[in-house]
Amino acid sequence: MAEVKKSAPGGGAPAQRAGSGGWTRFVTARPRLTLLVALVLTALAVLAGGGVADRMGSGGWEDPAAESTYATEALARQFPGSQPNLILLVDAGAAGADAPAVAAQARKLAERLDSEPGVDGVGSYWSTGSPALRSEDGRKAVIAARIAGEEKDAAAVLDRIAPAYRGTHGPVEVSLGGGLAVRHEMQTVIQEDLLRAELIALPLTLVLLVMVFGSAVAALLPLGVGIVAILGTNAVLRGITEFTDVSVFAQNLTTALGLGLAIDYALFVVRRYREELATGADAYTAVRTTLRTAGRTVLFSALTVAVSLAAMLVFPQYFLRSFAYAGIAVVLLAATAALTLLPAALVLLGDRVNALDLRRLLRRGRASGRKADGGEGDGGEGAGWGRAAALVMRRAPVFAVLTTAGLVLLGLPFLGVRFGTADDRQLPATASSRVVQDQLRDGFPGDPGGGITVLAEGAATPAQYADYRERIAGLDGVARADGPVTAGGGRAYFTVVPDGEAVGPDAQRTVTELRAEPAPFDTSVTGQAAVLVDSKDALAERLPWAAAVIVLVTLLLVFLLTGSVLIPVQAVVLNALSLTAMFGAVVWVFQDGHLAGFLGFTPTGDIETTLPVLMFCVAFGLSMDYGVFLLSRVKEEYDRTGEHEHSVRFGLRHTGGLITAAAVILAVVMVAIGTSRVTNTKMLGLGVALAVLMDAMVVRSLLVPAVMKLTGRLTWWAPGPLRRFHDRFGISESDAHNPGPTPDVEEVPEKRREMTSLRP
């Protein structure tokens, strides 16, 4: 019998292969060729994706169709001096900004800057005499300019001219700041931080995988799948940059999901394959069964995650859309690699997937079959999860109420959320452009970058302009209104300085009042506060559509998996509940500033508007990933036995350890991303890590079994038409419903040991 079951690594398929499905035949017919093609494609992806970060942008928070975007672009064309994105901070020291030698040197620098190709609208304290352009102590003053063109082109101009202006020039010291310098430095910092995160995450992930599998060979397989997914996604993003803007922040998601999801999928596939080997199956039969069961679940899970990420495509901001591009690509590539390359490798390895068991020294007294299975025999990890599920279901009302109350309590700080815009304080305090912006913010009486700007288009008389300026200057919350600055063709602009914070609630109210103020010409309002108002409006308008996409498709997919009407609703509600701790922590830590010193960031008192949307889509998708793993195994057992509570215990027993291991590994990757020096990236990494751990260790372990116990056999109910629809189109890990009782290793562990002993 041992001879019949023997694996044939790299050789021809034994007789059992004849009954395998088409996909199994496809991926196992030429395993060496499959891996060789994958290697060639990965090498091409490395070449195609090289330098992708240099083609990415660091903005993308604005709605391109908003009034503020139109006004900003029109002002940049017609009045470039009104929209400076480059600031030269001139420090005269004790001599003061008004010293003749300082003034002469500053004028020379301004003239030189004005002659640079691509630079427009140069103005300075020494040319205008504006007190807003000189520091309150009189030691520093500003030269402001605008570098025209798209973000990448403007950054190239900045790279070219910056060395010639930064540093000492006679009696003055010059530092560079402004929005363009901030975004450019942020892009550089993100690239450096991403490299460091990868250097942290990869070795830690490998160590954790060895701890999970024991076998060094098995541990390397998920890591290989992750690397293929990351490199492939970089190539995809490089192609997308040829057609549209892509945010550099999306590379962080590529690394996190590439490693995290690839490891999740590979863990699930390899674990099921080793279970099949432990029953005495040969490599081809084990791969066939694995693809028919775990393979379907992986494909299904990838679809649910991709849908959650695809919902960000409904938003106009390219910051959010970029994460959809990166997320969809990396999820599909990870699933493809897990269902193509991994089975080919497993066929070649056969039983050698269990080679180099590094845990053997710690567990000398255990049988090799139990080592390969990860300890699911009596008294092993699997039995512990089964006992935990039984305990939870015995006290289901208590666990359901206490867990729900605890999660809601953790989410309460989010009720006090305040939304704002990302600025230079995202950068570490030592970043050169951040230092300049801090000095402008703290030491100057006005904002050299401009406050709220009103673009006026249409013919008007000087008296009409004067009347309009007086009316807007009299609005509540307005400290001063200047202008108009006019040009030919009936174009002009006014500058409005709001009381208090530049983007605070009062400034946002002022934007609304300015837009409602009647005028004898067409007006468009822009500035940081206006951009924030428009961004919030765009998100609020499209958020219901994004939520509807996620909820409806999730309901449909989970119904196709389970055939139940109630389980999809439970999945959506419990997934959303698992995110409460993340949102509460985001406000408590990053908005209110708790742990700011420990984590190394500057709290601004608000949260960037798009971040909660991004975090919801990413974390919801990952939660569904784990939910699918659990529900698929519960459904498989329920189809086999028809016993509800037993199936829940069985599902948690056979996936609890796997889900927890996958969540810990993904959390390690996200925490590595969270070591970034850029606050938004830190918030994304640490927040999603917390959501993943809460979902795996609290919701899947406590709340799901408790709720399924309370709903009982009603859990599996569906009306007749939907039941027939599921019978025809549904997805299941088992080939037939209720095929009759078979020996259960949970109930008869001796049977597993007997079958394991049949392996050669």
Side-chain angles (χ1 to χ4, degrees), residues 568-613:
V569 177
Q570 289 178 357
V572 170
V573 173
L574 298 186
N575 274 13
L577 193 59
S578 71
L579 308 184
T580 54
M582 175 185 72
F583 285 124
V586 161
V587 171
W588 191 78
V589 174
F590 290 94
Q591 175 181 292
D592 299 340
H594 299 98
L595 305 179
F598 175 74
L599 295 176
F601 69 91
T602 301
T604 59
D606 52 46
I607 300 296
E608 202 283 315
T609 314
T610 58
L611 255 294
V613 176

Side-chain angles (χ1 to χ4, degrees), residues 174-365:
V174 178
S175 304
L176 270 60
L180 179 60
V182 168
R183 291 193 297 272
H184 191 50
E185 188 164 10
M186 190 177 297
Q187 187 171 7
T188 301
V189 171
I190 288 172
Q191 293 179 41
E192 295 171 352
D193 291 346
L194 182 59
L195 176 60
R196 187 181 66 251
E198 291 172 344
L199 293 176
I200 293 172
L202 286 173
L204 285 178
T205 297
L206 181 57
V207 170
L208 290 171
L209 286 170
V210 170
M211 293 173 63
V212 172
F213 283 124
S215 163
V217 173
L220 287 171
L221 294 175
L223 205 58
V225 172
I227 292 173
V228 169
I230 292 171
L231 296 176
T233 302
N234 283 338
V236 172
L237 291 178
R238 174 63 177 79
I240 293 175
T241 60
E242 295 290 338
F243 306 99
T244 188
D245 292 319
V246 179
S247 172
V248 70
F249 286 92
Q251 273 204 305
N252 295 288
L253 188 68
T254 297
T255 297
L257 291 187
L259 282 177
L261 287 178
I263 287 170
D264 284 358
Y265 299 154
L267 273 173
F268 204 58
V269 169
V270 173
R271 182 67 169 268
R272 189 60 181 255
Y273 173 77
R274 298 174 86 195
E275 287 183 7
E276 296 304 319
L277 287 184
T279 66
D282 65 90
Y284 286 97
T285 302
V287 166
R288 181 186 62 195
T289 304
T290 298
L291 288 178
R292 192 186 69 243
T293 56
R296 292 178 181 178
T297 301
V298 165
L299 180 61
F300 191 84
S301 172
L303 291 176
T304 60
V305 177
V307 166
S308 293
L309 297 171
M312 287 185 284
L313 291 174
V314 307
F315 297 103
Q317 295 92 336
Y318 86 74
F319 174 79
L320 286 175
R321 297 173 70 88
S322 299
F323 285 93
Y325 305 146
I328 294 171
V330 77
V331 169
L332 297 182
L333 285 171
T336 300
L339 298 179
T340 305
L341 309 183
L342 196 54
L346 292 174
V347 167
L348 290 174
L349 287 171
D351 283 343
R352 290 176 298 187
V353 72
N354 298 320
L356 300 179
D357 191 341
L358 303 180
R359 297 184 302 191
R360 184 170 301 170
L361 294 177
L362 301 177
R363 303 189 308 173
R364 290 179 179 175

Side-chain angles (χ1 to χ4, degrees), residues 45-177:
V46 172
L47 296 176
V52 62
D54 296 332
R55 300 184 57 83
M56 292 179 165
S58 53
W61 291 283
E62 305 87 2
D63 176 4
E67 176 183 318
S68 58
T69 304
Y70 166 78
T72 298
E73 293 173 350
L75 287 165
R77 290 192 304 268
Q78 300 163 9
F79 303 95
S82 69
Q83 300 289 300
N85 57 9
L86 176 64
I87 300 292
L88 271 60
L89 181 63
V90 180
D91 188 348
D98 293 316
V102 170
Q105 183 63 56
R107 291 190 183 98
K108 187 182 301 183
L109 286 170
E111 291 171 2
R112 180 181 171 188
L113 183 63
D114 194 35
S115 67
E116 297 280 0
V119 179
D120 297 319
V122 177
S124 72
Y125 164 70
W126 296 274
S127 63
T128 65
S130 171
L133 301 181
R134 189 185 70 170
S135 64
E136 294 175 343
D137 62 8
R139 299 166 68 98
K140 303 180 185 70
V142 161
I143 300 173
R146 181 170 185 84
I147 298 180
E150 297 293 329
E151 188 175 338
K152 301 180 187 68
D153 298 331
V157 173
L158 178 62
D159 279 336
R160 175 174 55 83
I161 69 174
Y165 293 90
R166 185 183 290 117
T168 302
H169 297 267
V172 300
E173 185 77 18
V174 178
S175 304
L176 270 60

Side-chain angles (χ1 to χ4, degrees), residues 583-640:
F583 285 124
V586 161
V587 171
W588 191 78
V589 174
F590 290 94
Q591 175 181 292
D592 299 340
H594 299 98
L595 305 179
F598 175 74
L599 295 176
F601 69 91
T602 301
T604 59
D606 52 46
I607 300 296
E608 202 283 315
T609 314
T610 58
L611 255 294
V613 176
L614 168 63
M615 296 174 74
F616 173 82
C617 292
V618 173
F620 188 92
L622 294 175
S623 297
M624 278 305 306
D625 188 43
Y626 300 136
V628 167
F629 287 169
L630 174 59
L631 290 174
S632 64
R633 207 62 189 266
V634 173
K635 179 65 163 59
E636 179 185 5
E637 185 67 5
Y638 184 75
D639 286 344
R640 189 181 70 81

Side-chain angles (χ1 to χ4, degrees), residues 500-512:
E501 300 178 20
V503 293
D506 291 340
Q508 295 174 53
R509 232 179 349 261
T510 299
V511 168
T512 303

